[in-house]
C-alpha cells in the first residue's frame, strides 16, 4: 500500500526591498559618520544594482565610474555629472545648469563637488547660491537636499541676509519646518545679548550662569574637543560642549556620565583649559537653534551679538 505524499509547499523567494528603502539605509549610514564607511549593502533587484553602485561610488569616490548601460538615460545623467566633477570654474557652474539630478548618487556627488568648491574659495556668493538652489529643487528629495538647506541657512545667517532667509523659508518650510524655525530663532538673536547658559569653569568644574558677554571676550567659539583640536585663538572665549550633552540644563551638580565626560575633557585639555568653559547640557543650545558645531559668535562693545557663523560658514568648519 502506497501512501500519497503531499509535496512540501515551495515558499516563494522573498522579494528584495524597494530600491528607495535600500538607498535610505545607505544614506543614513553615510550621514551617521559624515563620510563613506564600508557597510554590508542591502539586497536590491538586479535591475536596481547599477543605481545602487552609482550611489555608493558617488559617496565614496571623487571621480565615480559610470555603471550604467551606455546610451540609457541613467548613463547620460551620470556622464553629465562626471563632466561636472572634472570641470574647473566657471565651466562647472555652466554645466550645473539644467543637470537633471534624478539619481540619489548624482545629487550626493553634486553636493560633495559644491562643498569642495566652497571650502576652496572657488565660489563667489551668487555661484554658491545657484549650487545650493540646484539641490533645493522641490522635485528633489533626500539627504543632499537636507545638507544643501543647512548649508544655505548657515551662510544666510553669517551674512545677516534676511532676503535669502525669506527665500529659503518659502522654498523649504514645508519640507523641513523645524530647521527653518531653528534659524528664525538664530536671526532673532542678532542684536541681542543672547541666552544665559549654565557653564562649568575649568579646572574647578563649578557651575555659573553666564551670558556670552560675561566671558570677557568679544569673540566666542563653541566647539567640542575633537582629535587634535587646538585652543581658541588668543582673545577668544572657548565653550566646549561634552560629547553627550546629557546633563539637564538646570542641574547644579555633575553626576554620572556627565562628570566622567567633564573630567576626561579636563585631562585632555591640560594647560589649554585656562579660559575655557564646559557645557555638559545641550538643551540651551538646542532651544536657541545653535545646533551645528563649530559656532563662532561675535559681540559688540555692549555685549550684543553682531555675527553668528555656524557649521559650514564657520572659519574652522570641518
Amino acid at each position: 500500500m502506497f501512501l500519497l505524499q503531499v509535496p512540501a509547499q515551495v515558499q516563494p523567494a522573498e522579494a528584495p526591498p524597494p530600491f528607495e528603502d535600500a538607498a535610505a539605509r545607505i544614506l543614513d549610514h553615510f550621514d551617521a559618520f559624515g563620510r563613506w564607511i564600508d557597510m554590508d549593502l542591502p539586497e536590491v533587484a538586479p535591475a536596481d544594482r547599477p543605481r545602487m553602485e552609482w550611489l555608493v561610488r558617488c559617496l565614496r569616490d571623487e571621480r565615480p565610474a559610470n555603471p550604467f548601460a551606455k546610451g540609457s538615460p541613467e548613463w547620460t545623467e551620470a556622464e553629465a555629472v562626471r563632466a561636472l566633477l572634472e570641470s574647473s570654474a566657471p565651466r562647472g557652474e555652466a554645466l550645473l545648469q539644467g543637470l537633471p539630478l534624478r539619481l540619489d548618487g548624482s545629487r550626493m556627488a553634486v553636493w560633495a563637488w559644491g562643498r569642495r568648491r566652497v571650502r576652496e574659495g572657488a565660489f563667489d556668493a551668487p555661484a554658491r547660491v545657484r549650487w545650493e538652489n540646484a539641490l533645493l529643487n522641490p522635485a528633489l528629495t533626500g539627504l543632499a537636499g537636507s545638507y544643501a538647506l543647512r548649508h544655505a541657512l548657515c551662510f544666510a545667517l553669517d551674512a545677516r541676509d534676511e532676503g535669502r532667509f525669506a527665500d529659503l523659508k518659502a522654498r523649504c518650510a514645508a519640507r523641513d519646518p523645524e530647521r527653518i524655525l531653528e534659524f528664525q530663532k538664530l536671526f532673532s538673536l542678532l542684536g541681542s545679548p543672547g541666552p544665559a547658559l549654565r557653564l562649568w569653569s575649568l579646572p574647578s568644574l563649578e557651575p555659573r550662569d553666564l551670558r556670552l558677554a560675561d566671558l570677557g571676550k568679544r569673540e566666542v567659539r563653541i566647539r567640542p574637543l575633537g582629535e587634535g583640536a587646538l585652543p581658541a585663538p588668543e582673545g577668544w572665549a572657548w565653550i566646549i560642549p561634552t560629547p553627550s550633552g546629557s546633563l539637564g540644563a538646570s542641574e547644579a551638580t555633575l553626576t554620572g556620565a556627565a562628570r566622567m565626560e567633564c573630567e576626561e575633557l579636563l585631562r585632555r585639555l591640560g594647560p589649554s583649559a585656562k579660559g575655557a568653559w564646559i557645557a555638559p547640557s545641550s538643551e540651551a543650545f538646542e532651544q536657541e537653534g545653535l545646533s551645528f558645531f563649530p559656532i563662532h559668535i561675535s559681540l559688540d562693545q555692549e555685549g550684543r551679538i553682531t555675527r553668528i557663523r555656524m557649521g559650514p560658514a564657520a572659519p574652522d568648519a570641518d
Side-chain angles (χ1 to χ4, degrees):
M1 180 175 185
F2 297 97
L3 297 177
L4 294 175
Q5 293 186 349
V6 179
Q9 186 175 2
V10 177
Q11 296 294 325
E14 186 175 345
F19 174 76
E20 290 72 20
D21 293 351
R25 282 182 55 191
I26 293 170
L27 290 169
D28 285 346
H29 176 81
F30 178 87
D31 188 41
F33 293 95
R35 57 192 175 93
W36 177 253
I37 299 290
D38 285 339
M39 64 178 290
D40 292 330
L41 297 176
E43 286 292 327
V44 294
D48 289 326
R49 287 172 189 162
R51 292 172 65 192
M52 187 168 73
E53 186 64 30
W54 178 240
L55 173 58
V56 171
R57 291 177 184 180
C58 288
L59 295 173
R60 185 188 63 202
D61 306 330
E62 282 194 22
R63 298 291 185 270
N66 188 340
F68 298 108
K70 189 171 184 178
S72 67
E74 293 83 3
W75 180 87
T76 301
E77 177 175 321
E79 284 301 295
V81 169
R82 281 160 45 83
L84 174 74
L85 300 181
E86 294 168 2
S87 66
S88 57
R91 181 171 178 266
E93 297 169 37
L95 291 173
L96 180 62
Q97 305 307 309
L99 202 60
L101 301 180
R102 291 181 293 264
L103 302 169
D104 297 272
S106 300
R107 295 194 287 274
M108 292 305 296
V110 170
W111 157 255
W113 168 81
R115 184 175 61 170
R116 286 193 298 271
R117 289 290 175 91
V118 172
R119 289 176 170 177
E120 294 165 358
F123 277 164
D124 59 14
R128 190 199 74 243
V129 167
R130 287 192 293 270
W131 162 68
E132 292 165 347
N133 286 351
L135 293 169
L136 291 174
N137 184 323
L140 305 180
T141 59
L143 187 62
S146 297
Y147 283 173
L149 176 58
R150 182 174 67 189
H151 193 278
L153 287 166
C154 285
F155 276 88
L157 178 66
D158 175 30
R160 303 185 66 154
D161 188 343
E162 295 187 2
R164 175 62 170 157
F165 177 70
D167 175 61
L168 292 167
K169 184 176 180 180
R171 287 172 179 267
C172 303
R175 98 193 259 172
D176 198 343
E178 292 184 6
R179 185 73 68 229
I180 296 296
L181 180 58
E182 278 182 2
F183 278 82
Q184 195 158 301
K185 291 178 181 177
L186 289 168
F187 269 89
S188 70
L189 288 179
L190 295 169
S192 80
L197 301 170
R198 177 155 293 181
L199 303 175
W200 299 70
S201 62
L202 294 173
S204 61
L205 292 179
E206 296 294 328
R208 292 185 62 187
D209 293 325
L210 302 168
R211 293 195 182 273
L212 298 178
D214 298 330
L215 303 180
K217 308 292 183 182
R218 297 275 295 275
E219 303 289 341
V220 180
R221 176 170 75 172
I222 306 173
R223 180 173 186 141
L225 180 62
E227 292 297 327
L230 299 175
E234 186 69 28
W236 288 47
W238 186 11
I239 298 173
I240 307 171
T242 58
S244 70
S246 59
L247 193 71
S250 59
E251 291 292 330
T253 305
L254 284 173
T255 57
R259 172 164 284 279
M260 292 176 62
E261 286 182 326
C262 289
E263 289 176 347
E264 173 63 14
L265 287 174
L266 181 57
R267 183 192 67 79
R268 290 177 58 196
L269 280 164
S272 301
K274 184 179 179 181
W277 299 81
I278 289 181
S281 173
S282 62
E283 288 180 23
F285 296 125
E286 292 169 356
Q287 288 169 1
E288 301 298 333
L290 295 165
S291 343
F292 305 117
F293 302 122
I295 302 170
H296 295 258
I297 299 178
S298 301
L299 308 173
D300 65 14
Q301 290 182 338
E302 284 72 40
R304 295 183 297 249
I305 295 173
T306 60
R307 188 177 186 185
I308 302 173
R309 291 173 286 175
M310 185 166 75
D316 61 342
D318 296 323

